[in-house]
Amino acid sequence: MEIFGKQLKALREERKMSQSELAEVLCTSKQNISRWEKGYFEPSQEATLMLARFFDVTIDYLFGVEE
């Protein structure tokens, strides 16, 4: 889960987005984005798919399976 959080944060920062802005895009809370980035919680399958589509990366990339 640690890798996912790092990947998510890096992708978000590359787009110069705040956690609040990303949360708005995903219809979730800023707290959820923070928890995902810190590895406290894992996003749902639906949220994971939305993240992959939004950032135009694979789910494997998000979880560090591929670079």
Side-chain angles (χ1 to χ4, degrees):
M1 201 54 213
E2 184 179 326
I3 291 172
F4 174 85
K6 287 180 181 180
Q7 296 286 71
L8 177 57
K9 185 174 182 176
L11 288 166
R12 178 179 60 77
E13 289 178 343
E14 281 177 16
R15 292 224 180 164
K16 299 185 183 350
M17 295 181 79
S18 68
Q19 289 179 341
S20 296
E21 290 169 329
L22 181 57
E24 189 173 319
V25 169
L26 298 176
C27 298
T28 191
S29 68
K30 175 192 175 296
Q31 290 79 14
N32 277 342
I33 303 298
S34 176
R35 290 174 185 141
W36 297 342
E37 288 183 358
K38 292 178 181 175
Y40 296 152
F41 292 101
E42 188 173 309
S44 67
Q45 289 179 342
E46 182 180 350
T48 302
L49 183 56
M50 289 175 69
L51 285 164
R53 287 180 177 163
F54 179 75
F55 289 115
D56 195 28
V57 296
T58 65
I59 292 172
D60 283 347
Y61 177 83
L62 285 173
F63 285 95
V65 176
E66 69 178 37
E67 293 190 25

